[in-house]
């Protein structure tokens, strides 16, 4: 069988949406809308590129390549091992999963704790229950389509829709004035805000989950798996664009009524409390927790499946247990400490993830040129790593000063020009080597 029923395809598309849509995806669009105000539409256009476009392309690229490792091997074997492990550790137990467990507690549970209750003990109880459920859901990856596609995702969409419909019956106001970079460079700022969802890196994990889900339905042809992954990606992408637009609209109108807030969670809290009163806090708590749970399950599943390929001594279920327990432990360190340790790593590898996806999608044109992959990853990686080191206060003297002169470097996009140069240099070098090779062959024929 090389196709899926419309029902199965829809369920896999919903599953992919739920894997992407975590708490970060819930809080960043409304904060963008609140800050961008009347420039929300412009900022969202570029936000969609990095928060929807690249993640969906990432899923397709991984499915097309037969896994992240195979894709990364187009650079070389050493890069494949180091980069892949960094991706899985950072988006998984190093940041993504612990953040998903601690974020809903910090945002919607901690503010309402009784004064005489220990926050440390409350966080432990919350994360214990949270990761126990995530552990149970992750034990059977083949059942994720039914559990997430039929139950969790529709429930999440209903909760978000209730908030939006409530704003129609009790309008917040008009769009406010843009502030900060949203006033001067809304397109660039929106593009960079898409980084915050971390979905482009997550897509490199989720691609294999989607491919396995499709194969579990009886699809055998690799070409069909890629085609169906694209269709599932379009379903998930359409939902993401719709939900992000609704959330950004809520944020933009809330800015007029409530003014600036520190983050999107506060924005949504203001909105839900204004519309529904105190029950709005409960609605938001359920929505946040559900969004984080679906993402955690996807990350635990994909990371466990990858780590089982590195060793045959530890089973999939054992890795699920290890990741759930270690993530719960890290989550109890607190969100601030988690971000302080892990965010620089993400800033270093995110640009490389973007360019790896771009190269994979252009692979037919590049004819799998190893030199294009090598030069592009080298130039992109050097700039992004130096930039990440600078963000934690570690300057590299002349190198840091030189890179700071690159276009858009101060805005976090200094890697773009070097990446394009890497593609150009790789193509030129490949062409020259090919020409020299043809000449040598021709000379050899003449000698005969």
């Amino acid at each position: 069988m090389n196709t899926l029923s419309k029902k199965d395809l829809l369920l896999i598309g919903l599953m992919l949406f739920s894997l992407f849509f975590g708490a970060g995806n819930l809080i960043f669009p409304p904060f963008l809308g609140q800050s961008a105000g009347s420039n929300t539409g412009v900022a969202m256009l570029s936000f969609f590129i990095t928060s929807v476009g690249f993640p969906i392309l990432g899923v397709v690229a991984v499915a097309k390549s037969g896994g992240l490792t195979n894709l990364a091997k187009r650079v070389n074997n050493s890069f494949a091992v180091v980069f892949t492990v960094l991706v899985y550790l950072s988006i998984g137990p190093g940041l993504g999963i612990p953040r998903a467990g601690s974020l809903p507690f910090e945002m919607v549970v901690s503010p309402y704790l009784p004064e005489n209750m220990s926050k440390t003990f409350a966080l432990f109880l919350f994360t214990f229950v949270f990761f126990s459920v995530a552990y149970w859901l992750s034990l059977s990856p083949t059942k994720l389509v039914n559990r997430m596609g039929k139950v969790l995702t529709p429930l999440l969409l209903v909760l978000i829709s209730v908030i939006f419909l409530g704003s129609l019956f009790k309008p917040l106001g008009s769009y406010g004035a843009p502030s900060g970079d949203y006033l001067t460079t809304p397109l660039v700022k929106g593009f960079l805000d898409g980084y915050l969802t971390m979905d482009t890196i997550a897509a490199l994990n989720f691609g294999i989950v989607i491919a396995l889900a499709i194969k579990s339905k009886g699809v055998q042809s690799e070409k069909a798996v890629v085609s169906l992954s694209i269709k599932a990606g379009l379903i998930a992408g359409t939902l993401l664009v719709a939900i992000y637009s609704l959330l950004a609209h809520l944020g933009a109108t809330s800015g007029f009524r409530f003014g600036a807030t520190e983050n999107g969670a506060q924005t949504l809290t203001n909105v839900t409390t204004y519309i529904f009163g105190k029950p709005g806090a409960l609605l938001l708590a359920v929505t946040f927790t559900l969004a984080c749970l679906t993402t955690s399950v996807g990350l635990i599943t994909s990371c466990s499946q990858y780590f089982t390929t590195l060793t045959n001594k530890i089973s999939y279920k054992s890795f699920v247990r290890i990741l759930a327990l270690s993530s719960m432990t890290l989550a109890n360190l607190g969100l601030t400490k988690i971000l302080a340790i892990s965010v620089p790593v993400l800033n270093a590898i995110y640009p490389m993830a973007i360019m790896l996806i771009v190269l994979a999608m252009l692979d037919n044109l590049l004819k799998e040129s190893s030199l294009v992959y090598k030069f592009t990853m080298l130039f992109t990686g050097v700039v992004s790593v130096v930039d990440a080191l600078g963000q934690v206060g570690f300057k590299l003297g002349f190198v840091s000063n030189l890179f700071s002169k690159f276009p858009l470097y101060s805005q976090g996009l200094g890697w773009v020009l070097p990446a394009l140069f890497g593609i150009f240099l790789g193509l030129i070098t490949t062409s020259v080597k090919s020409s020299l090779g043809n000449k040598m062959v021709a000379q050899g024929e003449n000698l005969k």
Side-chain angles (χ1 to χ4, degrees):
M1 185 175 73
N2 292 324
T3 188
L4 292 175
S5 66
K6 291 182 179 179
K7 178 182 177 181
D8 284 339
L9 181 60
L10 177 61
L11 288 176
I12 291 177
L14 291 175
M15 171 188 168
L16 179 57
F17 166 82
S18 67
L19 292 177
F20 279 130
F21 199 82
N25 310 75
L26 189 61
I27 64 175
F28 294 129
F31 188 66
L32 182 153
Q34 174 205 283
S35 303
S38 57
N39 282 340
T40 296
V42 176
M44 287 300 291
L45 287 177
S46 55
F47 178 82
F48 289 147
I49 296 174
T50 45
S51 66
V52 180
F54 280 121
I56 299 306
L57 289 177
V59 170
V60 176
V62 170
K64 183 180 177 182
S65 306
L68 174 58
T69 301
N70 290 336
L71 175 57
K73 279 183 178 179
R74 293 175 185 174
V75 181
N76 60 48
N77 290 335
S78 298
F79 175 84
V81 173
V82 174
F83 180 77
T84 304
V85 170
L86 279 176
V87 165
Y88 277 97
L89 287 177
S90 60
I91 199 65
L95 172 61
I97 305 173
R99 186 185 78 164
S102 61
L103 188 56
F105 174 84
E106 295 285 352
M107 297 301 182
V108 296
V109 176
S110 180
Y112 303 100
L113 288 175
E115 293 183 3
N116 60 346
M117 186 173 188
S118 168
K119 181 178 178 179
T120 302
F121 180 68
L123 175 60
F124 172 78
L125 288 179
F126 180 87
T127 54
F128 177 80
V129 174
F130 180 93
F131 284 108
S132 294
V133 176
Y135 167 75
W136 173 71
L137 289 171
S138 301
L139 285 176
S140 303
T142 57
K143 296 180 181 179
L144 285 180
V145 173
N146 288 333
R147 289 173 175 172
M148 299 179 75
K150 290 184 178 179
V151 182
L152 297 181
T153 303
L155 181 57
L156 179 59
L157 293 173
V158 167
L159 291 172
I160 295 173
S161 298
V162 167
I163 297 174
F164 176 72
L165 290 175
S167 71
L168 297 180
F169 289 99
K170 195 173 181 181
L172 293 161
S174 59
Y175 282 23
S179 61
D181 291 336
Y182 294 102
L183 176 62
T184 54
T185 55
L187 276 174
V188 174
K189 182 60 175 172
F191 185 91
L192 292 174
D193 278 351
Y195 278 26
L196 300 176
T197 65
M198 299 182 186
D199 281 343
T200 297
I201 296 178
L204 298 177
N205 293 351
F206 295 154
I208 194 65
V209 177
I210 296 302
L212 290 173
I214 293 173
K215 290 179 180 179
S216 72
K217 296 294 183 180
V219 178
Q220 302 298 325
S221 167
E222 292 299 326
K223 185 176 181 180
V225 170
V226 173
S227 175
L228 291 168
S229 295
I230 293 173
K231 293 178 181 178
L234 290 175
I235 294 172
T238 301
L239 283 174
L240 286 171
V241 169
I243 296 301
Y244 287 158
S245 299
L246 297 182
L247 292 171
H249 170 76
L250 291 175
T253 53
S254 73
F256 177 82
R257 179 169 295 276
F258 304 111
T261 59
E262 293 182 0
N263 54 62
Q266 292 179 3
T267 303
L268 284 178
T269 300
N270 288 338
V271 170
T272 54
T273 303
Y274 171 76
I275 297 173
F276 302 105
K278 290 185 178 180
L282 177 60
L283 175 64
L284 189 62
V286 173
T287 306
F288 260 101
T289 304
L290 190 59
C292 287
L293 180 62
T294 56
T295 297
S296 293
V297 171
L299 290 172
I300 290 174
T301 300
S302 58
C303 289
S304 297
Q305 288 171 337
Y306 168 69
F307 289 132
T308 55
T309 65
L310 300 180
T311 176
N312 56 8
K313 295 182 180 180
I314 304 177
S315 67
Y316 168 81
K317 290 185 177 180
S318 294
F319 270 120
V320 169
R321 190 177 300 112
I322 292 169
L323 293 183
L325 184 60
S326 62
S327 296
M328 186 189 79
T329 302
L330 286 176
N332 278 272
L333 293 177
L335 186 61
T336 301
K337 289 183 179 179
I338 295 171
L339 295 177
I341 296 171
S342 304
V343 165
V345 176
L346 288 170
N347 288 337
I349 65 178
Y350 211 99
M352 287 188 281
I354 289 177
M355 291 313 302
L356 198 59
I357 291 170
V358 169
L359 294 178
M361 301 312 296
L362 298 176
D363 204 47
N364 291 335
L365 296 176
L366 301 175
K367 297 180 180 180
E368 296 190 17
S369 170
S370 177
L371 288 174
V372 173
Y373 280 88
K374 283 181 170 65
F375 283 127
T376 304
M377 289 299 105
L378 174 63
F379 294 143
T380 304
V382 168
V383 177
S384 63
V385 168
V386 170
D387 187 21
L389 290 173
Q391 291 172 13
V392 296
F394 192 79
K395 301 290 184 179
L396 297 180
F398 172 76
V399 175
S400 296
N401 291 332
L402 175 64
F403 287 176
S404 67
K405 301 182 187 303
F406 288 176
L408 300 177
Y409 187 85
S410 62
Q411 296 173 308
L413 293 175
W415 56 269
V416 173
L417 189 60
L420 295 176
F421 179 72
I423 294 175
F424 174 77
L425 183 60
L427 289 173
I428 293 297
T429 307
T430 300
S431 178
V432 170
K433 287 186 65 176
S434 178
S435 297
L436 291 175
N438 291 335
K439 287 182 179 180
M440 292 179 67
V441 171
Q443 290 175 355
E445 292 293 332
N446 291 333
L447 290 175
K448 292 180 181 179

